[in-house]
Amino acid sequence: MPASSNWAQERLAQVRLVLVRPAGPRNLGAIARVMKNMGLRQWVLVDPQCDPLDAEAVTMAVHATDLLRQARQVPTLAEALQGCVQVFGTAGRREPYPPEWQIQSPRQAFPDLLAAGPAALVFGPEDCGLSNEELALCHRQIQIPTDPAYPSLNLAQAVGICCYELRTLLYQNLRPPVASSGISKPAPFELLEGFFGHLEALLLQIGYLHPHTARRKMLKFRALFHRAGLTVAEVALLRGILRQLQWSQQSSPREPPKEDPHLTESGS
């Protein structure tokens, strides 16, 4: 097998499908099958409402029951996204979303999802899709273009379309990207969440944010920094600024805050 095909398979193996509160065992079986068809192996179930080894799931999976057995289960979406440097959420509802979100089709957005490092593609519950709060945890939001007369897709169908688009994109562009240096390594999900929590706390402290408007304004900040594609080093730089601003707000003089050894500007 050509080295480029090996690289494509390895890249697909780094894509993590995340299903939030899935409720239908038949859907889980169908998803396991299409994942195996398209070469994806990694998936996480967030607070599942059914047993992935239910008889209906096993029947639908056919020869993909091994994927049903290895599905990881976690209680929260944040836990499912640990370690990911790209997180794309699927927007299934048709009501207006925050204007800061530039919702794209999978074909438009997936080149960035596959650019580098561990990535997650998040799908919401069958009955209501992802909430705005859940979508705000994602770096980008995507939506499968469907006919307005009947826009709703079955969960397994939506996953199948996205898996096909991912595989097609990779095998049409069999050129491994140039590896990034340590200093330009994309910031993983948990590092960005730490930064957003730090930023919100400071903005509340200085009075820029107020409790009743904090959620809406933080959506704007999240969209801004997600578009920027922050690296580990850039997050360290911004956290350093936030720590210095917090120190300057102290009424009593004290030593400047020390650097967090886990957040150095070198990205190490």
Side-chain angles (χ1 to χ4, degrees):
M1 184 179 293
S4 55
S5 295
N6 288 335
W7 168 80
Q9 289 184 341
E10 291 170 3
R11 190 68 197 95
L12 280 173
Q14 291 188 65
V15 177
R16 181 185 309 172
L17 297 188
V18 178
L19 309 183
V20 178
R21 297 184 301 282
R26 292 175 64 85
N27 272 336
L28 291 185
I31 290 168
R33 181 172 181 171
V34 79
M35 285 176 63
K36 198 159 190 176
N37 291 149
M38 297 298 156
L40 287 97
R41 296 289 183 268
Q42 187 182 170
W43 59 329
V44 183
L45 310 180
V46 179
D47 187 23
Q49 306 298 295
C50 62
D51 181 1
L53 291 175
D54 182 278
E56 289 189 333
V58 171
T59 299
M60 289 297 294
V62 191
H63 298 300
T65 53
D66 56 321
L67 290 184
L68 291 175
R69 294 189 187 95
Q70 72 186 44
R72 187 160 63 93
Q73 300 185 39
V74 299
T76 67
L77 178 56
E79 186 174 345
L81 300 178
Q82 296 290 303
C84 292
V85 299
Q86 295 287 348
V87 179
F88 283 25
T90 54
R93 294 170 287 121
R94 292 291 163 175
E95 61 261 31
Y97 289 101
E100 298 80 25
W101 294 351
Q102 299 174 355
I103 298 177
Q104 295 179 302
S105 71
R107 192 165 298 180
Q108 292 171 318
F110 281 175
D112 290 335
L113 179 71
L114 295 168
L121 182 57
V122 187
F123 296 86
E126 290 96 329
D127 59 344
C128 60
L130 294 170
S131 68
N132 280 8
E133 287 76 12
E134 290 163 337
L135 281 167
L137 294 177
C138 303
H139 302 157
R140 300 271 284 278
Q141 294 78 30
I142 65 170
Q143 191 167 64
I144 297 170
T146 53
D147 194 296
Y150 191 24
S152 177
L153 281 167
N154 167 268
L155 174 60
Q157 292 173 332
V159 173
I161 290 170
C162 289
C163 289
Y164 171 77
E165 290 286 347
L166 284 168
R167 186 176 181 86
T168 299
L169 176 64
L170 274 175
Y171 280 86
Q172 285 179 345
N173 300 276
L174 288 176
R175 292 190 299 273
V178 178
S180 60
S181 64
I183 198 167
S184 61
K185 183 180 178 182
F189 170 81
E190 59 270 23
L191 202 65
L192 286 173
E193 286 303 301
F195 165 66
F196 288 132
H198 194 172
L199 177 63
E200 182 173 4
L202 175 63
L203 295 181
L204 285 166
Q205 179 185 337
I206 65 175
Y208 179 82
L209 290 183
H210 302 283
H212 65 286
T213 60
R215 175 186 166 277
R216 186 71 190 89
K217 286 195 174 180
M218 283 306 299
L219 281 178
K220 295 178 183 290
F221 281 115
R222 281 178 173 271
L224 170 65
F225 286 112
H226 282 154
R227 285 197 301 272
L230 295 176
T231 66
V232 170
E234 289 166 342
V235 172
L237 178 68
L238 291 169
R239 292 292 296 269
I241 293 171
L242 296 182
R243 286 193 297 272
Q244 188 66 29
L245 288 171
Q246 284 182 314
W247 174 76
S248 71
Q249 288 291 307
Q250 302 295 324
S251 57
S252 58
R254 58 171 59 187
E255 290 295 318
K258 295 181 180 179
E259 287 293 325
D260 185 333
H262 301 292
L263 280 174
T264 61
E265 292 187 17
S266 65
S268 59

